[in-house]
Amino acid sequence: MDFTTFVKPSNGGATESNDTSKLQFWKHVKYIENHGKQEDDYEYCMTEFLRMSGIFWGVTALDIMGQLDRLDRKSIIEFVKRCQCPSSGGFAPCEGHDPHMLYTLSAIQVLATYDALDEIDCDAVVRFVVGLQQPDGSFFGDKWGEVDNRFSFCAVATLTLLKRMEQTIDVEKAVKFVMSCCNQTDGGFGSKPGAESHAGLIYCCVGFLSLTQRLHLLDVDKLGWWLCERQLPSGGLNGRPEKLPDVCYSWWVLSSLTIMGRLHWISSEKLQQFILSCQDTETGGFSDRTGNMPDIFHTLFGIGGLSLLGHSGLKVINPTLCMPQYIIDRLGIQPQMVNQA
Amino acid sequence: MHGRVKVRTTEEERERKKKEQVLKMRAYRAAMTRIQKKRSLSELDDEMLGLTVQILLRNPDINTLWNIRRECVLRKIAELEKTIKENETRDIQKVEEHSEGDKKTDDEKEVDKKEVLAQQLQSIYKTELELTEQCLMVNPKSYNSWHHRCWTLEQNPEADWQREVQLCNKYLKYDERNFHTWDYRRYVSEKASVPPEQELDFCTDKIKVNFSNYSSWHHRSLLLPTLYPNEQQDRPMSEHKLKEELEMVLTAAFTDPNDSSAWFYQRWLLGSGRQSEQSATVAAFRCWPYKAQLSLKSSYPELSQLTVQLVSEQQTLQLQPWKAVNSEKTQWQCEQVIEIEPSRDYFLDVAGQRKQLAVNPNDQSLYYFVPPHATSSCSKELLAELQTQLQSCLDLLEYEPDSKWTLLTSALLMRAIDVNSYHEQSLSHLAKLVQVDALRQGYYKDLSARWTMEMALAKWPTSSNYPQLFEMPTEMSMTPYAHYLIVADKISS
């Protein structure tokens, strides 16, 4: 299964210059549309183990750009449906692979975007997620026992989108576990108790607290300071002290600061410049850093970051769920945000 | 998908690479097809293990292949255990059958057999450990490889945890910031019962090699509060140790003042330590005949779970239920009829904390207010160290007036020494930071507002307008501590 069957015939785009100070809108649309079109694309083949997330990244980026109709809704939904494991209820990244929490969230996000949650067995998904919660409140990624706060986020995000958070998992215990991973030094979070703070994991935990309406548990001033210190002179954000900037970390930090009402603690202007500098002006798509190879993952977080910064021509994105806000509104979900003090 | 530089290649090179990739892809697809076929037939054998190795060595992130290996391993262990059990049953039968004479030689044979089986079992684990090591060489940040290693060790009752600690030492030499390795280190050193003192020494050594190691400072911050606890909990560790740490970290910070790692640690040291999560400390309270308002120092999830009482000599009134007024859950309100007799003495009791209430002369409401206090008091020795540090920072600023971290840290040191006398000077540092570190000007402005408000609130009870009127300080970019102002009738700007 590849992306080929998802793509509607393209209607072309306007010619654009190779200027990285402007958003190369149509090149990105083309880049995502063409993703996986060549059947013998090596990268595409070797990343099938995360295909479901790949589809989520592509679908969401196109939707933010108002171009969702370039993909074929029906075949994507059919693909997602084929990936639901009949026994566990979880979703695999693609056929022939095992179900996992990560791809279960991606599948639910894609279906929610297409307003197609009624096409699958949602009770089975809930059973899958509930079954992975441990006595200490943490979550396994699958039955093989890896524990990580990423999975706590996936669990509550999946249940929120399905509107099944009440009376399924033990929310209090889940919160307790996440908070047991909060570091006293910087107010941040790692993947498990004692783990060093890391912007990606901070996004997961801040997002988790936003979905469980527990943002008051954060030390917003301490964590916000550590997060705004991620911005480097290039304008890009890194994930930990003394590391290189990266478009995806820019998203994790930016969305966390937005949820915490502290977006004004970094320079939006400089960050926008950095994200735009990571565009590939030849092929379209965004890379992790200026001058590197683009990929679909960084393309979503580039577009998503620009949307959070209020770039024109893009739909508003929800910082907690990384999905277009209109879908979150349609579902009637309200992830918590801290008011700007 | 990180850090791959886009390079220009010739047509020829591109063709060659393409051919190579087509071959790799064919091999991948053939192996995956075979694996899936075998799995559907439940053929969890050596061929299966071999097939997964081929792919995992190139791409250790394919979770499903590790799952298949685990299925194979469990199958093998089950088979071995079955053989061991069968042997044991046979042993008992043999003992019963044979006479005393030839028993000894049989025993020896059985011991050998048992040993062989035990070795076979260990070699299954060893294969998995070796594979994860090879995969970690390919990708040291592969979540799946690390997890498979943990899983394998957990299966083996005779796992050599000490060896794993050594492995961490080796890996941290390649990359001292790999958080996977540090996480793994915490996990295996607990299993191997490594004493925390020894871990602290390891940290010190690592930091001495390279000060710019946030991971190591972090690891240190986990160990110290347990090794050197602070009784009052108002500091991260005992004052004696704190003084030592301050000395060490400042040396590190001055070695390269542009490196942030040590400065973050320094700020943590100057902070107030772990806040007790469960306590609800009263910041301000006010009650009228028809409602009560209560503000807490920090947020509390559900005030109605606590016993809140209005106590006078004549009666005790339960105040219930409470509703949060703000999303931070620091300000609460209870709508209830409350009989107030201004001539009486009233106390507020929140889960055992008792506060004496005063009467607002304006409307006869009862109130309590305590300003947020910025710093904890410290011993003479610690104070002396803070003063020395401040002087060193100020000296450095003579030469490098725009040094961001020195500006910030000296402002923090000033406030730790004496908030009142250094108030203006610490604010001037923030004003300077707005210029030299413009990316974060929003942060410095908010921090400045916070400090200004803390000072205004601290001075308020001595003002002639207290508690009716609170005069808002000028040039505030935000209004922190707004929930403390429930006591005021009027707020002027």
Side-chain angles (χ1 to χ4, degrees):
Chain A
M1 187 70 206
D2 59 47
F3 235 73
T4 325
T5 42
F6 302 158
V7 180
K8 277 187 179 174
S10 126
N11 51 13
T15 45
E16 287 162 317
S17 70
N18 286 345
D19 184 1
T20 56
S21 67
K22 289 194 182 69
L23 180 63
Q24 303 285 320
F25 191 92
W26 293 107
K27 282 181 185 162
H28 300 314
V29 172
K30 265 261 161 70
Y31 175 82
I32 302 165
E33 254 191 291
N34 291 338
H35 184 65
K37 238 180 188 173
Q38 286 168 296
E39 217 167 292
D40 59 347
D41 184 282
Y42 178 69
E43 293 299 331
Y44 188 77
C45 170
M46 298 312 284
T47 52
E48 67 169 23
F49 70 92
L50 48 72
R51 183 68 65 241
M52 189 65 77
S53 296
I55 292 172
F56 163 67
W57 300 327
V59 162
T60 304
L62 278 183
D63 198 4
I64 293 293
M65 292 196 283
Q67 301 294 318
L68 187 58
D69 60 354
R70 282 167 184 269
L71 300 178
D72 185 43
R73 177 182 190 273
K74 200 169 161 235
S75 59
I76 291 182
I77 294 171
E78 286 308 315
F79 170 81
V80 175
K81 283 165 78 173
R82 283 200 301 278
C83 291
Q84 187 172 24
C85 170
S87 53
S88 72
F91 284 82
C94 67
E95 286 163 283
H97 286 249
D98 293 346
H100 195 279
M101 191 75 101
L102 293 169
Y103 309 112
T104 301
L105 173 59
S106 292
I108 297 304
Q109 284 174 308
V110 170
L111 293 175
T113 302
Y114 281 122
D115 201 7
L117 285 168
D118 54 353
E119 298 214 20
I120 52 147
D121 183 355
C122 290
D123 290 340
V125 183
V126 173
R127 271 201 305 278
F128 177 75
V129 172
V130 172
L132 291 172
Q133 189 172 30
Q134 300 309 302
D136 66 356
S138 68
F139 285 85
F140 285 174
D142 62 16
K143 65 175 179 178
W144 295 103
E146 189 184 3
V147 168
D148 193 304
N149 278 322
R150 288 177 299 152
F151 311 144
S152 294
F153 173 78
C154 290
V156 297
T158 302
L159 295 177
T160 300
L161 290 168
L162 295 175
K163 300 192 165 186
R164 295 288 296 275
M165 191 114 94
E166 300 301 318
Q167 289 161 359
T168 50
I169 55 164
D170 188 332
V171 177
E172 272 316 314
K173 274 192 176 173
V175 171
K176 216 173 166 190
F177 179 80
V178 168
M179 288 312 294
S180 76
C181 303
C182 183
N183 290 313
Q184 291 303 305
T185 38
D186 48 37
F189 298 82
S191 60
K192 44 178 86 68
E196 178 185 345
S197 296
H198 174 289
L201 270 309
I202 289 172
Y203 163 79
C204 289
C205 295
V206 170
F208 170 95
L209 295 169
S210 157
L211 292 170
T212 52
Q213 312 289 318
R214 300 275 196 302
L215 286 176
H216 62 273
L217 296 174
L218 287 173
D219 187 338
V220 169
D221 289 316
K222 194 191 260 186
L223 176 56
W225 175 60
W226 190 86
L227 286 171
C228 78
E229 279 295 339
R230 299 302 103 242
Q231 189 163 38
L232 301 171
S234 67
L237 308 171
N238 61 13
R240 291 188 290 155
E242 311 305 330
K243 291 279 181 183
L244 293 170
D246 186 317
V247 165
C248 71
Y249 287 113
S250 299
W251 165 266
W252 312 127
V253 176
L254 184 62
S255 54
S256 302
L257 283 173
T258 307
I259 295 168
M260 288 160 49
R262 297 294 186 276
L263 181 58
H264 63 293
W265 284 6
I266 58 166
S267 164
S268 296
E269 194 192 334
K270 292 279 285 181
L271 176 56
Q272 178 158 320
Q273 279 169 21
F274 170 80
I275 296 176
L276 290 173
S277 79
C278 296
Q279 301 179 93
D280 190 314
T281 55
E282 290 169 350
T283 60
F286 289 74
S287 58
D288 56 349
R289 272 186 285 291
T290 319
N292 283 358
M293 298 280 284
D295 60 65
I296 189 91
F297 173 80
H298 288 96
T299 302
L300 169 64
F301 294 125
I303 299 283
L306 291 174
S307 163
L308 269 190
L309 293 170
H311 194 286
S312 64
L314 301 175
K315 288 186 195 168
V316 176
I317 196 165
N318 179 276
T320 304
L321 287 157
C322 190
M323 291 165 69
Q325 184 60 42
Y326 81 91
I327 292 164
I328 307 304
D329 294 341
R330 185 172 71 202
L331 288 164
I333 298 167
Q334 286 181 311
Q336 195 187 10
M337 306 243 297
V338 175
N339 301 327
Q340 195 176 310
Chain B
M1 288 185 285
H2 283 102
R4 287 183 318 165
V5 181
K6 189 170 173 168
V7 272
R8 304 258 158 227
T9 46
T10 62
E11 191 64 34
E12 209 176 334
E13 264 178 280
R14 236 193 327 260
E15 275 306 307
R16 190 183 52 76
K17 200 166 177 209
K18 184 114 211 215
K19 270 186 195 155
E20 219 179 83
Q21 287 184 339
V22 169
L23 288 179
K24 274 190 205 165
M25 209 154 48
R26 248 183 238 154
Y28 169 76
R29 287 203 171 126
M32 280 307 272
T33 311
R34 179 89 188 113
I35 287 169
Q36 277 153 8
K37 178 96 205 276
K38 282 177 74 69
R39 196 186 198 191
S40 69
L41 298 169
S42 195
E43 291 175 13
L44 301 169
D45 51 19
D46 285 335
E47 188 204 353
M48 183 71 122
L49 285 171
L51 286 164
T52 59
V53 170
Q54 279 178 40
I55 308 175
L56 285 173
L57 283 176
R58 286 228 174 99
N59 193 346
D61 292 326
I62 306 176
N63 185 44
T64 304
L65 296 182
W66 292 109
N67 295 346
I68 293 172
R69 286 196 75 86
R70 288 189 274 267
E71 288 168 2
C72 292
V73 167
L74 290 179
R75 169 80 59 91
K76 281 190 162 205
I77 294 174
E79 278 166 4
L80 266 178
E81 277 170 354
K82 204 174 143 203
T83 321
I84 294 172
K85 266 216 184 100
E86 278 170 5
N87 278 351
E88 277 169 3
T89 336
R90 225 179 304 135
D91 283 355
I92 298 164
Q93 286 167 350
K94 271 185 194 162
V95 170
E96 282 166 356
E97 282 167 20
H98 287 254
S99 60
E100 290 284 315
D102 47 35
K103 194 189 166 204
K104 203 172 181 182
T105 45
D106 266 0
D107 266 359
E108 278 168 13
K109 270 186 206 160
E110 289 310 318
V111 169
D112 284 350
K113 219 185 246 169
K114 263 187 192 167
E115 211 142 88
V116 169
L117 289 171
Q119 275 171 7
Q120 280 177 356
L121 196 61
Q122 286 305 316
S123 90
I124 296 173
Y125 300 129
K126 201 172 163 223
T127 309
E128 298 310 300
L129 292 182
E130 278 171 2
L131 178 64
T132 60
E133 249 179 276
Q134 284 172 298
C135 289
L136 287 171
M137 286 294 170
V138 178
N139 178 7
K141 296 183 176 173
S142 159
Y143 281 98
N144 287 314
S145 308
W146 285 108
H147 177 242
H148 190 68
R149 195 168 182 90
C150 297
W151 181 86
T152 306
L153 290 161
E154 293 282 355
Q155 303 303 308
N156 182 5
E158 282 154 50
D160 182 356
W161 296 102
Q162 200 57 50
R163 185 185 170 272
E164 298 304 302
V165 178
Q166 298 306 319
L167 189 81
C168 291
N169 291 349
K170 187 172 118 187
Y171 280 14
L172 287 174
K173 268 185 199 143
Y174 298 140
D175 179 2
E176 59 190 10
R177 292 295 308 282
N178 186 341
F179 67 84
H180 295 272
T181 320
W182 282 102
D183 285 351
Y184 189 65
R185 185 184 182 88
R186 281 180 276 271
Y187 163 70
V188 294
S189 57
E190 197 187 322
K191 291 277 186 185
S193 309
V194 177
E197 292 83 358
Q198 198 178 312
E199 275 302 281
L200 187 66
D201 289 343
F202 175 78
C203 265
T204 312
D205 291 344
K206 276 271 148 214
I207 291 168
K208 277 181 184 159
V209 174
N210 183 5
F211 287 133
S212 174
N213 188 342
Y214 194 83
S215 308
S216 195
W217 291 110
H218 164 75
H219 193 55
R220 201 174 177 78
S221 77
L222 298 175
L223 297 164
L224 287 169
T226 342
L227 280 171
Y228 302 92
N230 168 245
E231 301 294 321
Q232 291 87 41
Q233 300 230 323
D234 57 350
R235 301 214 176 265
M237 65 196 77
S238 72
E239 281 215 355
H240 173 71
K241 190 66 193 169
L242 185 66
K243 190 172 162 273
E244 275 180 29
E245 288 296 296
L246 280 167
E247 282 170 36
M248 175 173 161
V249 79
L250 200 68
T251 314
F254 279 175
T255 307
D256 178 6
N258 293 320
D259 185 277
S260 63
S261 310
W263 295 112
F264 278 112
Y265 188 73
Q266 160 97 355
R267 189 165 184 182
W268 173 64
L269 291 176
L270 292 175
S272 56
R274 179 178 281 274
Q275 286 165 352
S276 42
E277 286 147 24
Q278 290 310 311
S279 75
T281 313
V282 182
F285 172 79
R286 192 166 184 191
C287 87
W288 297 266
Y290 50 94
K291 69 170 179 187
Q293 285 200 343
L294 180 65
S295 289
L296 302 169
K297 241 182 100 177
S298 52
S299 69
Y300 195 79
E302 195 44 77
L303 192 61
S304 295
Q305 285 171 358
L306 297 181
T307 314
V308 182
Q309 295 174 327
L310 187 66
V311 183
S312 68
E313 232 172 84
Q314 283 73 18
Q315 62 170 26
T316 297
L317 181 66
Q318 299 279 346
L319 300 178
Q320 277 291 6
W322 292 91
K323 268 191 184 164
V325 175
N326 58 2
S327 62
E328 293 81 9
K329 300 201 176 187
T330 50
Q331 192 178 336
W332 298 79
Q333 182 160 296
C334 164
E335 283 181 29
Q336 188 176 335
V337 177
I338 303 163
E339 214 178 292
I340 300 170
E341 178 55 60
S343 59
R344 287 183 195 155
D345 282 341
Y346 283 95
F347 296 88
L348 171 71
D349 194 306
V350 178
Q353 298 172 62
R354 191 164 274 215
K355 311 283 182 196
Q356 182 156 18
L357 302 177
V359 181
N360 181 320
N362 225 15
D363 64 357
Q364 310 288 298
S365 64
L366 303 172
Y367 73 91
Y368 170 82
F369 171 81
V370 60
H373 68 270
T375 45
S376 322
S377 62
C378 55
S379 69
K380 252 189 203 165
E381 291 77 20
L382 184 59
L383 191 66
E385 176 59 29
L386 295 177
Q387 275 161 341
T388 312
Q389 299 223 331
L390 176 59
Q391 197 49 55
S392 308
C393 284
L394 295 176
D395 290 346
L396 184 66
L397 284 173
E398 290 279 315
Y399 297 98
E400 292 180 44
D402 293 347
S403 169
K404 164 195 162 170
W405 290 101
T406 321
L407 279 166
L408 180 61
T409 304
S410 50
L412 296 171
L413 282 165
M414 287 174 195
R415 296 179 64 81
I417 294 165
D418 186 350
V419 178
N420 292 321
S421 64
Y422 283 117
H423 182 65
E424 292 303 325
Q425 206 182 339
S426 63
L427 287 182
S428 75
H429 279 212
L430 292 186
K432 173 97 184 171
L433 280 162
V434 168
Q435 289 159 16
V436 301
D437 189 21
L439 289 176
R440 278 161 281 275
Q441 53 174 300
Y443 171 71
Y444 299 120
K445 284 176 184 166
D446 283 1
L447 187 60
S448 183
R450 210 176 167 78
W451 290 354
T452 307
M453 192 69 175
E454 276 170 15
M455 183 55 93
L457 287 170
K459 282 186 178 163
W460 188 32
T462 59
S463 108
S464 57
N465 297 324
Y466 178 80
Q468 293 97 322
L469 175 71
F470 179 79
E471 285 180 64
M472 197 60 103
T474 48
E475 285 183 57
M476 297 282 285
S477 62
M478 58 169 215
T479 48
Y481 300 111
H483 60 292
Y484 278 71
L485 299 176
I486 53 169
V487 172
D489 295 330
K490 204 181 152 206
I491 299 160
S492 78
S493 51

